Amino acid sequence: QSAIDIFAAHGISFYKSNNNRIKGWYSVKEWLKPVPDTDGVCRPRLRIFKNCIHLIRTLPALRFDDKNANDVANHPHELTHAPDALRGFTASVHIPYTPEIDAVPSHQDFDTENDYSDFINYGT
């Protein structure tokens, strides 16, 4: 019997996850993006606990792929296992839609002088 057969015999089913790497990394970013929580405080939808020591160690150490800036490098390989597991999880689970959180703000909701200055260079 295969491992999948043994798990299935005990009521645990598996399905193949989406292995589109780019889509998966975008999904990780969406899950980690801070959004207003039920109490109005911005927090990520996915929280990583302190006992996830390998993910905490390896996720920030990933490097961009030299050939594709939307992907991460496969080297050093020992850093990729925990982040790839996270990528597989986030790619297979849909973020629940919350109208209050996911509503697109109008341009009137932004103070362009303050809201964009940290990440847009206006050439001033």
Side-chain angles (χ1 to χ4, degrees):
Q1 281 187 323
S2 71
I4 290 177
D5 292 333
I6 295 169
F7 278 103
H10 291 88
I12 301 170
S13 58
F14 287 90
Y15 58 92
K16 187 174 172 115
S17 67
N18 185 333
N19 202 28
N20 181 323
R21 294 177 59 82
I22 309 304
K23 198 175 187 181
W25 292 122
Y26 279 123
S27 182
V28 170
K29 288 178 186 179
E30 281 299 310
W31 276 94
L32 294 175
K33 178 176 70 174
V35 294
D37 207 341
T38 54
D39 57 1
V41 177
C42 283
R43 294 185 180 101
R45 287 183 167 114
L46 176 75
R47 297 184 189 129
I48 301 169
F49 293 92
K50 64 183 177 182
N51 60 339
C52 298
I53 56 175
H54 297 297
L55 185 60
I56 291 168
R57 177 180 60 86
T58 57
L59 190 60
L62 292 176
R63 298 182 178 160
F64 287 105
D65 184 60
D66 292 334
K67 297 176 184 168
N68 187 344
N70 293 317
D71 198 359
V72 299
N74 288 326
H75 300 289
H77 184 70
E78 63 273 5
L79 297 179
T80 64
H81 297 288
D84 273 340
L86 177 63
R87 178 180 57 84
F89 166 75
T90 61
S92 64
V93 178
H94 296 288
I95 294 175
Y97 174 72
T98 309
E100 302 82 30
I101 293 173
D102 296 318
V104 177
S106 75
H107 69 282
Q108 295 152 339
D109 294 335
F110 290 107
D111 174 2
T112 56
E113 193 64 35
N114 296 317
D115 290 340
Y116 298 122
S117 61
D118 291 339
F119 58 93
I120 295 178
N121 181 355
Y122 289 107
T124 57

